[in-house]
Amino acid sequence: MNERPNRRGFAARPADPEQWVKATEPRPASDGNAGAFTARLTIDVTPDLRGRIKIAAFGRSQTVADMLRDLLAREFPPTPGDAS
């Protein structure tokens, strides 16, 4: 009777990380560029660095995600022969 429901929290870790990483993700809705972004990248940063990133993005009138996508695209350009 007092059994708790098995609900996963917003930031719950997956039970099997290998399966979670290999699982296919649903395609986002086709509204502009959304189809180009099919993977999520998670990194750990210090609160201080996170604050500096947010302030830099705000100062450039960009979202943090857009600013970091541009940065990663500049740092890791496609190489000839890569499947895109």
Side-chain angles (χ1 to χ4, degrees):
M1 264 200 200
N2 289 338
E3 189 175 320
R4 293 182 354 171
N6 187 9
R7 289 187 286 186
R8 294 181 63 169
F10 174 75
R13 294 180 186 262
D16 183 5
E18 289 298 319
Q19 184 63 31
W20 178 70
V21 168
K22 293 176 184 175
T24 59
E25 296 181 22
R27 303 250 340 159
S30 298
D31 55 343
N33 265 350
F37 309 122
T38 60
R40 181 173 301 269
L41 176 65
T42 303
I43 61 169
D44 294 324
V45 296
T46 63
D48 183 53
L49 178 57
R50 180 176 178 260
R52 293 194 315 260
I53 292 169
K54 289 176 75 171
I55 290 169
F58 182 78
R60 298 173 187 180
S61 300
Q62 288 185 300
T63 65
V64 170
D66 288 339
M67 186 181 75
L68 292 177
R69 281 186 200 106
D70 292 343
L71 172 78
L72 292 170
R74 277 194 317 272
E75 290 296 315
F76 302 100
T79 56
D82 277 352
S84 316

